[in-house]
């Protein structure tokens, strides 16, 4: 609804400087676009405008900018990019906040820690591989009717719910000085998994059924690229759009790893 | 005889697709899962409020699975086939248990049990929830289970692959679906995939209306492609407009019904053009029009009713805030901590996208297109419960006429359950027209999606193992039909690419402009209220757009990650589906649920107690719409009023069983 | 994969945790002792048991010298040094550099305080390690050519040789001395920061502090520890640079040697260190050729 509601009075323009790249291995370039600002505009609505009017500021026709997005409500995590030097979701990035005046500039870049597919679209598959690595699931006995799940206190639910709102957007990884771009998928296993994955490991360790795989998760996180690669810069928790207590997860997994490490040392695995 | 290399393709990785993948993979059939986005980013994440199921607390207050069924049928204005709905309501508690076992962080009571909230269309607390991001939480739980199967090699994911068409072989009764053509959205490679059954779980079509609460992939393109390949499309005109959304420049963001379930009140100032801040307007100068008009359900009337009332107040009476199309959704009388606990997710959305804290300032909302009850037409095998006489209204506390044993409403495992008119082609979730009739009740969508996947996933398995594919598996078929389908899509793709730079750029043929005009036209003509002449005008406009689309011009000739090509291709498919929606709306000369015809204000069971079914004629590009009877032998249709009173009556009843 | 990498893979957790542990104990613990000892050149002024020196500054020198004698008389000193200090420091440093190379700092984009500390932790690690190498090489291994006046360390002349090794010959400022002194200031500060911040991160690494509140509280504790150590380090440095009088220091040192080991030993010692250039040029050295004048007179204020 309200399609026609915003048609009135386009007065203000914003300049978008966008770092573009035609594909893997291709050079990057900057292009600038002048975009009229609608009321309640966000970066997405401006990118939509550019898609429909792919002409640069100096009047040169170009291709529409490619970017990844889906829900536009900051719950799917797709539209993450680097805006004015900081990583965030572009859907919740309001123009009135970022560029309040006529002619203000907003810069858009793809996330730097993931291989670029094209323009602002990056390949975050490594993140999902990380979820496999730590077996981020509850190992249930199939989908048959086997009664309800374990009971849980409201306090415990609060802890798990906060962790479970992670939408795998990758902000924490983009801002992490220990998380580096790795194009070679065969090296993902020993490259740092990052805060999101560590936090998911904690999420499932906190669940009675999930905890059955706790040792497996800790074993996976004790190796190279695991919990010990964290450098405690704590940027992750600062840039997390969902305010997930990532550093608490890291410390909690640190504690579990301490105990697990001792156990393993003395038991001799 | 079962071939060892049989496979099932599932298109769409939302709740329905993932639930189906789990069920099929669990049965030992390999699954190829296609999605335009990583499945964890599917549109199901946007669902907020919760998932309905009868539960012990409600049961002891007089509720039952049967009443859940009755509410759903009544809410859907008796347009849904009743058997599948009964089966779904009966299964709902099992689904909640399963999700609980998967680790969904449902909100908890002090004792550690699953908490419940009130939702639209019911007087009982029967909605399970996880904050105000229930859809996200359920999707993640299923995503995790699928990842587990993926790690075990039982599910192969094709993420960033776009479904282009189903591959069919045979004619008439022999026609069946044996695979799909899909395109890698990064490399742009187009290729066929073989499968013994294909499950469409591709969600809704909100983008046809321009701005909606839907995600950007919800174009309806996949459904339209199936429709153009011969699948029937049912009840297209039944589009749900959600009463409470935040209008934005790029989309309308949903403000969950749970806001009202947790006590949110909808109002406007009694004085027209009152410019005072909402806090400064005293209680007696506020008009709580929903509470006034619907004393029993108050703010929790079903969505179509709330939407029309808000629309009426704003558009017809001009009583919107500041004369604009906005009303207040007020939660400021609730404890801010309580709101954070129960509704944190949507409080945050409002705060982030509007910049105002709804805990202290009433939200400004307006209706927005939200859900398509219509979708690919599907069939089913009726269950064991076949009463001699359809039952009347089910009152709280009454003994249900039927138990909750499996198979009462729909035969468990019957291969044709939720199969389209094309053998081997199934439709699950929002893209399936079943379950919701003419309006969906809040918190029934998550249920229907998961139910489809879990209950009817077994049907897919049985069809593959015992049906035609068991003797003629897709892998044994000649390559020709697959290559042919693939070549056709390749030609279409090449054709679109070739439009780049052919002429001066003309706005008329810009796919984004065409899409915007379609959205504006469809929203204006075919949403909250409709009339015959307006719909005819809409069809004329759509015809014009289709002509313009025939000369569409793209601006990107790249053979790599060509996003605008993908969008432009979808626009063509959306236009076709838009025509179906408008045409079915024109032909349904009655008002029912979400479909409100001003020129036909009453429900007409005699002529239209039937599903509209559209069939595409590939030769002419025209739509043939016919009507099919709806199964109504379980509950007798009755007027759907939700106890509306005239505006001079006052007083609000306490909802029954609101404790717990 | 080479065996080295395999070893790293298999024992990664152990190595990382040993790295963390080594930073706290023994290295951190030693640093506390070391800075406490060194700063005694200042706080020693309050030492009531100092009886040789007459001035407050002198009491500091005496206290410091006393501590140094105590440490140097510990049994198996070299073995302890190697086992408890040099090996752990080498281990901590080599692994630390290897780990630090796996990161890439991005403070310019994300200028959060925590991120700055992350970057500083690595920077101070590098600086600190270079400083330690210089410090140990010049004052322990006798690489006197690296000191401003070619001073060779003697624990009998701890305060005065330190002053000379920092400032220049006979404790007089030289250009090289200014550079070395600034270097010491930076080095000591870096190491103290590195330790205090490392203490804070170690609590997260080991999982002692989990909640953000706990991390904040522990942060206050670590800040206090850091502040106290920083004060100790700076005051020690200031003590040797600005407070301790070189000649007075030599006098006190020699009298302490005399008291502890006898006059003969002192003479031997002086003979052995006769070629120490900075002593040769010093007024005390010249005075030493004259008969011992007895205790200096008390100064009435």
């Amino acid at each position: 609804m309200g399609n026609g509601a915003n048609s009135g009075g386009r007065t203000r323009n914003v300049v978008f400087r966008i770092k573009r790249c035609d594909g893997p291995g291709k050079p990057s370039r900057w292009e600038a676009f002048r975009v009229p600002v609608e009321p309640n505009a966000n970066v997405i609505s401006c990118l939509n405008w550019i898609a429909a009017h792919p002409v640069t500021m100096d009047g040169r026709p170009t291709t529409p900018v490619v970017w990844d997005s889906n829900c536009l409500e900051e719950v799917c995590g797709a539209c993450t990019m680097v805006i004015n030097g900081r990583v965030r979701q572009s859907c919740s990035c309001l123009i009135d906040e970022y560029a309040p005046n006529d002619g203000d500039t907003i810069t858009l870049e793809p996330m730097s820690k993931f291989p670029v597919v094209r323009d602002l679209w990056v390949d975050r598959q490594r993140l999902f591989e990380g979820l496999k690595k730590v077996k981020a699931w509850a190992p249930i006995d199939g989908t048959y009717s086997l009664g309800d799940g374990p009971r849980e206190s409201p306090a415990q639910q609060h802890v798990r719910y906060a962790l479970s709102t992670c939408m795998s957007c990758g902000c924490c990884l983009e801002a992490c000085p220990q998380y580096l771009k790795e194009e070679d998928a065969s090296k993902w296993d020993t490259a740092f998994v990052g805060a999101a994955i560590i936090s998911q490991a904690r999420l499932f360790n906190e669940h009675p059924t999930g905890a059955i795989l706790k040792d497996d998760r800790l074993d996976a996180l004790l190796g190279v690229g695991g919990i010990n690669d964290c450098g405690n810069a704590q940027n992750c928790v600062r840039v997390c759009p969902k305010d997930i207590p990532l550093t608490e997860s890291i410390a909690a997994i640190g504690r579990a790893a301490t105990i697990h490490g001792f156990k393993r040392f003395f038991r001799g695995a | 005889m079962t071939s060892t290399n049989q496979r099932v393709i599932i298109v769409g990785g939302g709740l329905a697709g993932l639930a189906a993948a789990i069920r099929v993979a669990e049965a030992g059939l390999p699954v190829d899962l296609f999605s335009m986005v990583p499945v964890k980013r599917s549109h199901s994440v946007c669902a907020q409020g919760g998932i309905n199921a009868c539960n012990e607390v409600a049961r002891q207050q007089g509720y039952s699975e049967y009443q859940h069924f009755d509410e759903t049928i009544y809410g859907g204005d008796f347009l849904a086939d009743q058997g599948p709905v009964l089966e779904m309501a009966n299964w709902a508690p099992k689904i909640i248990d399963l999700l609980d076992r998967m680790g969904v962080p449902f909100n908890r009571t002090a004792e550690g049990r699953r908490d419940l909230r009130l939702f639209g269309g019911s007087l009982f607390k029967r909605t399970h929830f996880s904050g105000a991001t229930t859809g996200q939480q359920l999707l993640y739980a299923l995503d995790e289970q699928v990842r587990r199967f993926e790690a075990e090699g039982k599910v192969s994911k094709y993420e960033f692959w776009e479904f282009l068409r189903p591959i069919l072989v045979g004619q008439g009764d022999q026609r069946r679906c044996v695979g799909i053509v899909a395109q890698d959205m990064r490399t742009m490679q187009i290729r066929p995939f073989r499968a013994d059954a294909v499950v469409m779980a591709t969600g809704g079509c909100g983008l046809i209306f321009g701005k909606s609460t839907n995600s950007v992939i919800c174009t309806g393109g996949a459904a339209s492609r199936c429709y153009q390949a011969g699948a029937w499309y049912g009840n297209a005109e039944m589009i749900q407009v959600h009463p409470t959304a935040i209008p934005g420049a790029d989309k309308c963001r949903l403000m969950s019904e749970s806001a009202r379930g947790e006590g949110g009140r909808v109002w406007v100032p009694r004085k027209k053009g009152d410019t005072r801040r909402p806090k400064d307007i005293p209680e007696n100068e506020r008009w709580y029009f929903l509470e006034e008009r619907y004393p029993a359900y108050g703010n929790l009337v079903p969505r179509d009713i709330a939407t029309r009332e808000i629309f009426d107040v704003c558009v017809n009476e001009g009583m919107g805030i500041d004369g604009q199309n906005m009303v207040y959704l007020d939660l400021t009388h609730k404890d801010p901590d309580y709101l954070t606990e129960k509704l944190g997710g949507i409080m945050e959305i409002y705060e982030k996208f509007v910049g105002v804290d709804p805990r202290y300032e009433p939200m400004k909302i307006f209706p927005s297109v939200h859900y398509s009850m219509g979708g690919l037409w599907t069939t089913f095998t009726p269950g064991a419960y076949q009463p001699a006489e359809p039952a009347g209204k089910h009152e709280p506390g009454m003994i249900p006429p039927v138990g909750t044993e499996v198979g009462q409403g729909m035969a468990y495992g019957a291969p044709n359950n939720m199969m389209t008119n094309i053998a081997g082609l199934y439709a699950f979730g929002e893209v399936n027209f079943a379950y919701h009739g003419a309006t969906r009740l809040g918190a029934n969508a998550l249920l229907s999606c998961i139910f489809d996947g879990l209950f009817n996933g077994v049907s897919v398995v049985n069809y593959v193992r015992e049906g035609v594919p068991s003797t003629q598996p897709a892998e044994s078929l000649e390559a020709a039909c697959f290559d042919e389908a693939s070549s056709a899509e390749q030609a279409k793709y090449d054709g679109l690419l070739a439009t780049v730079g052919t002429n001066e750029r003309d706005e008329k043929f810009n796919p984004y402009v065409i899409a915007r005009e379609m959205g504006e036209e469809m929203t204006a003509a075919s949403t909250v209220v409709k009339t015959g002449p307006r719909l005819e005008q809409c069809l004329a406009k759509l015809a014009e757009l289709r002509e313009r689309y025939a000369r569409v011009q793209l601006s990107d000739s790249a053979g790599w990650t060509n996003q605008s090509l993908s969008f432009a291709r979808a626009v063509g498919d959306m236009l076709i589906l838009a025509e179906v929606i408008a045409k079915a709306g024109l032909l349904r000369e009655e008002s029912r649920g979400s479909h409100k015809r001003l020129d036909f204000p009453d429900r007409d069971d005699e002529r239209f107690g039937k599903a509209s079914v559209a069939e595409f004629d590939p030769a002419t590009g025209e739509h043939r719409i016919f009507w099919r009877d709806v199964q109504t032998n379980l509950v007798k249709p009755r007027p759907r009023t939700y106890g509306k009173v005239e505006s001079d009556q006052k007083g609000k009843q306490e909802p029954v069983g609101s404790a717990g | 994969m080479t065996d080295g990498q395999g070893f790293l893979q298999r024992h990664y957790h152990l190595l990382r945790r040993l790295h963390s542990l080594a930073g706290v104990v023994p290295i951190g613990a030693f640093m506390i002792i070391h800075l406490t000892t060194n700063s005694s050149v200042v706080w020693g002024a309050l030492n009531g048991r100092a009886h040789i020196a007459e001035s407050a500054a002198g009491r500091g020198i005496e206290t410091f010298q006393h501590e140094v004698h105590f440490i140097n008389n510990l049994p198996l000193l070299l073995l302890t040094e190697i086992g408890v200090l040099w090996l752990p420091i080498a281990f901590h440093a080599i692994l630390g550099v290897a780990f630090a190379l796996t990161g890439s700092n991005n403070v310019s984009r994300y200028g959060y305080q925590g991120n700055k500390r992350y970057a500083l932790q690595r920077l101070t690690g590098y600086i600190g390690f270079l400083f330690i190498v210089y410090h140990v090489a010049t004052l322990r291994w006798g690489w006197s050519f690296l000191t401003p006046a070619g001073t060779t360390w003697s624990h009998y002349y701890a305060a005065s040789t330190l002053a000379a090794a920092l400032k220049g010959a006979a404790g007089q400022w030289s250009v090289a001395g200014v550079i070395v002194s600034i270097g010491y200031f930076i080095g000591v500060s870096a190491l103290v920061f590195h330790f205090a911040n490392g203490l804070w991160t170690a609590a997260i690494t080991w999982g002692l502090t989990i909640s953000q509140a706990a991390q904040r509280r522990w942060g206050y504790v670590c800040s206090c520890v850091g502040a106290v150590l920083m004060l100790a380090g700076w005051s020690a440095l200031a003590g040797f640079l600005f407070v301790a009088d070189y000649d007075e220091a030599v006098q006190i040192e020699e009298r302490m040697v005399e008291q502890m080991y006898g006059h003969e030993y002192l003479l031997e010692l002086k003979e052995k260190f006769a070629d120490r250039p900075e002593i040769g040029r010093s007024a005390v050295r010249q005075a030493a050729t004259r008969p011992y004048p007895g205790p200096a007179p008390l100064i009435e204020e």
Side-chain angles (χ1 to χ4, degrees), chain B residues 369-381:
Chain B
V369 169
H370 179 57
Y371 191 88
S372 172
M373 277 73 69
L376 293 172
W377 180 90
T378 51
T379 184
F380 65 97
T381 299

Side-chain angles (χ1 to χ4, degrees), chain C residues 85-295:
Chain C
L85 283 180
W86 296 350
L87 285 181
I89 287 173
F91 172 78
H92 187 83
I94 292 167
L95 258 68
V97 170
F99 297 149
L101 290 176
T102 64
S104 72
N105 111 64
N106 55 10
V107 175
S108 56
R109 285 210 151 171
Y110 303 96
Y112 306 123
Q113 203 219 11
N115 200 23
K116 288 176 183 160
R117 276 188 274 117
Y118 164 89
L120 269 179
Q121 185 71 357
R122 274 128 195 91
L123 182 69
T124 55
Y126 293 129
I127 293 174
F129 182 60
L130 293 178
F131 170 69
I132 288 172
V133 169
Y134 173 81
H135 180 64
V136 173
T138 52
L139 298 183
R140 193 73 188 92
W141 304 338
W143 295 13
S144 52
F145 59 92
L146 286 176
T147 58
T151 311
T152 306
W153 166 255
S154 160
H155 76 263
Y156 300 108
Y157 293 96
S160 59
T161 41
L162 254 180
L166 288 170
K167 293 160 81 175
Q172 304 299 308
W173 282 108
S174 65
V175 174
V178 172
I179 294 168
V180 169
S181 297
I182 291 172
Y184 261 75
F185 176 75
I186 293 170
V188 170
S189 305
L191 284 172
V192 169
F193 172 86
H194 192 83
F195 172 65
N197 191 50
L199 206 55
W200 182 73
T201 58
I204 298 169
T205 303
W206 291 84
L208 297 175
T209 53
I210 289 184
S211 73
Q212 286 176 0
Q215 292 182 15
R216 198 163 45 244
R217 284 193 293 270
W218 180 242
Y220 296 142
V221 173
C222 293
S223 303
C224 290
V225 170
V228 168
L229 286 179
M230 201 66 92
L231 206 65
W234 288 348
S235 61
L237 205 52
F240 295 117
L241 292 179
F242 306 116
V243 181
D245 179 75
Y246 181 85
D247 293 340
E248 187 185 3
V250 173
Q251 273 185 16
I252 294 170
E253 285 156 3
E254 292 191 336
R255 276 156 61 191
M256 287 177 77
V257 170
E258 196 172 18
Q259 273 200 354
M260 291 174 82
Y261 308 103
H263 191 63
E264 292 295 310
Y265 190 78
L266 177 65
L267 292 179
E268 260 177 58
L269 198 63
K270 286 164 87 168
E271 196 60 35
K272 193 170 156 196
F273 289 98
D275 58 342
R276 286 176 63 187
E278 81 284 2
I279 291 186
R281 265 177 265 123
S282 109
V284 174
R285 178 69 188 162
Q286 285 151 21
T289 56
R290 294 192 291 273
Y292 181 51

Side-chain angles (χ1 to χ4, degrees), chain B residues 44-55:
Chain B
S44 301
V45 290
C46 290
Q48 297 168 345
I51 175 167
N52 293 332
C54 182
N55 56 83

Side-chain angles (χ1 to χ4, degrees), chain A residues 45-61:
Chain A
S45 69
C46 294
L47 283 171
N48 280 332
W49 191 90
I50 293 172
H53 309 90
V55 178
T56 62
M57 254 173 97
D58 40 16
R60 197 170 45 80

